[in-house]
Amino acid sequence: MEPNTRSTGRLPAAFLTPGSSSFIDFLADHSPQLLPGNRKLPEGIVEAPHGTTIVAATFPGGVVLAGDRRATMGNMIAQRDIEKVFPADEYSAVGIAGTAGLAVEMVKLFQLELEHFEKVEGATLSLEGKANRLSTMIRGNLGMAMQGLAVVPLFAGWDEGKEKGRIFSYDVTGGRSEEHGFAATGSGSIFARGSMKKLYRADLTEEQATTLVVQALYDAADDDSATGGPDMARRIFPIVTVITEEGFRRLSEAESSELARSVTERRLEQPDGPRAALL
């Protein structure tokens, strides 16, 4: 039976024809205007909320990915409790830095891309395959990045083949690099990276790794106004996720608040003291 493309009760022929296992390729062929990078922008400078500072660290049993909760627009705080860390699938996660609206949309499209591939192929992509797909999506946003609407995520996950946690960072052109041990992106990344450089060890436990990333976000917020530290009054705490061979897990608010409170109290005791003692 031929598909009836004129009736709203039938799917168009494009949906019934075998094709690529990539949902992005399908969208590019049939509705390219829906891809974020193909949208037309108004003339002049475009100012939009930006999300900042994502950090990640590996430990022998997996990887931790965390982000602060602040979004800024120029010198103003646009949102205090934005979410910047999302599961990509069962064994990976992505943290967003850059233009918040585009970044969230890109994450949703990335989630759909991985789910579409799994349904069509009957298998999941390797972790490197997922990292490459995300690289392609970032490259597709290059036009907007050149106009100031850049998206620079941090991708992390459990590699089932190599049986370890891995981290991938990106630049605005889609260039991908694997990071070893720890990584950070966003406006406060230079301070977060410096903090982790002093405190990171290859033999950290999961609890120590989660403490490490919260400390790094605390240090970033201490020197970068665009990064939000733990807000005890409003009960806004960093989003902390852990990916192991058992899959993706987001720490509960109680767990995140306890980590933030522990780090804050210790820093109050030694505001300028040796940070290595915190672990």
Side-chain angles (χ1 to χ4, degrees), residues 154-209:
L154 203 59
F155 178 67
W158 174 259
D159 190 318
E160 294 181 274
K162 297 187 176 182
E163 297 185 339
K164 66 177 184 177
R166 300 173 68 186
I167 305 168
F168 297 91
S169 63
Y170 300 85
D171 59 36
V172 293
T173 67
R176 173 179 73 82
S177 301
E178 181 172 1
E179 305 289 346
H180 299 283
F182 57 88
T185 190
S187 66
S189 61
I190 185 172
F191 308 110
R193 191 178 294 112
S195 174
M196 290 189 289
K197 186 176 181 180
K198 297 293 185 183
L199 299 175
Y200 179 79
R201 302 192 314 269
D203 61 347
L204 293 175
T205 64
E206 179 181 322
E207 181 180 358
Q208 289 173 329

Side-chain angles (χ1 to χ4, degrees), residues 36-37 39 41-52 72-74 97-103 106 138 141-152 172-173:
R39 292 175 184 163
L41 296 177
E43 297 292 334
I45 299 175
V46 178
E47 189 170 11
H50 278 66
T52 53
T72 59
M73 186 182 296
T99 307
L102 281 177
M106 184 178 291
I138 297 169
N141 191 58
L142 183 58
M144 286 193 172
M146 294 297 100
Q147 298 183 63
L149 301 178
V151 177
V152 188
V172 293
T173 67

Side-chain angles (χ1 to χ4, degrees), residues 55-59 63-67 196 200 204-218 238-244 249-251 255-256 258-260 263 279:
V55 296
T58 59
F59 61 96
V63 60
V64 177
L65 184 66
M196 290 189 289
Y200 179 79
L204 293 175
T205 64
E206 179 181 322
E207 181 180 358
Q208 289 173 329
T210 56
T211 302
L212 170 69
V213 295
V214 173
Q215 287 178 180
L217 290 172
Y218 185 103
I239 293 176
V240 183
T241 63
V242 181
I243 309 110
T244 66
R249 180 176 70 90
R250 172 173 165 170
L251 267 62
E255 291 174 306
S256 296
E258 182 58 34
L259 274 174
V263 169
L279 283 178

Side-chain angles (χ1 to χ4, degrees), residues 9-31:
R10 300 278 186 142
L11 288 173
F15 290 85
L16 304 176
T17 304
S20 170
S21 59
S22 170
F23 181 77
I24 296 174
D25 290 347
F26 172 81
L27 206 58
D29 289 338
H30 300 287
S31 296

Side-chain angles (χ1 to χ4, degrees), residues 45-178:
I45 299 175
V46 178
E47 189 170 11
H50 278 66
T52 53
T53 317
I54 304 296
V55 296
T58 59
F59 61 96
V63 60
V64 177
L65 184 66
D68 78 305
R69 305 292 297 277
R70 179 174 292 178
T72 59
M73 186 182 296
N75 65 327
M76 303 291 290
I77 297 175
Q79 187 174 344
R80 298 181 187 276
D81 61 350
I82 188 173
E83 297 198 5
K84 308 176 189 177
V85 181
F86 306 88
D89 65 1
E90 187 179 358
Y91 291 99
S92 61
V94 58
I96 57 172
T99 307
L102 281 177
V104 171
E105 189 174 30
M106 184 178 291
V107 168
K108 291 180 178 179
L109 187 57
F110 183 50
Q111 292 170 332
L112 186 56
E113 171 80 352
L114 299 184
E115 185 178 352
H116 181 80
F117 180 91
E118 184 175 351
K119 288 182 176 180
V120 171
E121 297 293 335
T124 58
L125 276 167
S126 66
L127 191 66
E128 286 207 24
K130 298 171 190 177
N132 289 337
R133 291 292 175 101
L134 184 55
S135 180
T136 301
M137 294 178 64
I138 297 169
R139 191 175 301 115
N141 191 58
L142 183 58
M144 286 193 172
M146 294 297 100
Q147 298 183 63
L149 301 178
V151 177
V152 188
L154 203 59
F155 178 67
W158 174 259
D159 190 318
E160 294 181 274
K162 297 187 176 182
E163 297 185 339
K164 66 177 184 177
R166 300 173 68 186
I167 305 168
F168 297 91
S169 63
Y170 300 85
D171 59 36
V172 293
T173 67
R176 173 179 73 82
S177 301
E178 181 172 1

